[in-house]
Amino acid sequence: MKILIIEDEPELAADIGAYLTAQDYLCEYAGTWAQAREKVELYRYECILLDLMLPGGDGLDILDILKEQGQQDGVIIISAKNDYESKIKGLHAGADDYLAKPFHLPELAARIYSVIRRRSFANQNNVLQNELKVDLSSRVVTVNGAVVSLTRKELDLLLFFISNKNRVIGKSALAEHLSGDIADMFDNHDFVYAHVKNLKKKLTEAGYGNYLKTIYATGYKWEG
């Protein structure tokens, strides 16, 4: 799952990124208002960590851009502003949560998990579809009660498909989801095919209901 860290303090951004990467998130970074605007206009994220005081502009304006585009990215404001008025203003502007600096990284990770669970999985800890179960907190997948061992990218793909149930997802969108803003550097989407093929193989061998369909010349769709 992709996280955008909009933070102008390089050391803090690096610390957040290292911690979240160890939690199996794919992290991207923006250190200025202009970089943040470019990222949110080009890419989609499961959660955005948004500092308010950015070189070149106000972080709250990034929330306005997201609203103008109709995007559903989760947003947690991380700010040194700890006053009541700033928190209310940020939440009213569209942020899902507000965390004042300094904060503990485990608390930040817990809030990210909560935002993603609420936005993508109807606030459920477990995703259930007949014989298939995904425990979001432990990141364990089972089919008919038997654990299916997935790589991090395979699990991310599975959750991405499920959270976009009954929608056709193009190969470019999958490439971006798996690789972030470096997806355009690849000459083709062979790596997407490989991950999807491996995911389907493991789920099929475990006996799942063949919910993941290939849409010819377009992409894939999770039915349910």
Side-chain angles (χ1 to χ4, degrees), residues 132-156:
L132 176 69
K133 176 181 177 182
V134 183
D135 187 318
L136 296 175
S137 58
S138 65
R139 297 178 67 83
V140 172
V141 178
T142 58
V143 174
N144 292 317
V147 174
V148 181
S149 180
L150 300 179
T151 66
R152 180 181 68 82
K153 287 191 179 297
E154 290 165 358
L155 178 58
D156 276 354

Side-chain angles (χ1 to χ4, degrees), residues 66-83:
L66 290 169
K67 284 191 291 186
E68 289 169 3
Q69 294 184 321
Q71 301 302 341
Q72 299 300 313
D73 310 49
V75 178
I76 299 176
I77 292 175
I78 52 173
S79 176
K81 294 183 177 180
N82 194 25
D83 59 283

Side-chain angles (χ1 to χ4, degrees), residues 67-127:
K67 284 191 291 186
E68 289 169 3
Q69 294 184 321
Q71 301 302 341
Q72 299 300 313
D73 310 49
V75 178
I76 299 176
I77 292 175
I78 52 173
S79 176
K81 294 183 177 180
N82 194 25
D83 59 283
Y84 175 80
E85 289 77 11
S86 294
K87 292 180 180 180
I88 295 300
K89 187 176 181 180
L91 294 171
H92 280 176
D96 295 273
D97 201 351
Y98 193 112
L99 187 59
K101 301 175 183 177
F103 48 77
H104 296 290
L105 292 175
E107 180 183 2
L108 174 62
R111 292 185 185 226
I112 290 171
Y113 170 77
S114 179
V115 167
I116 293 174
R117 180 187 62 187
R118 183 168 62 250
R119 281 188 169 264
S120 299
F121 303 106
N123 214 31
Q124 300 297 310
N125 284 315
N126 295 312
V127 178

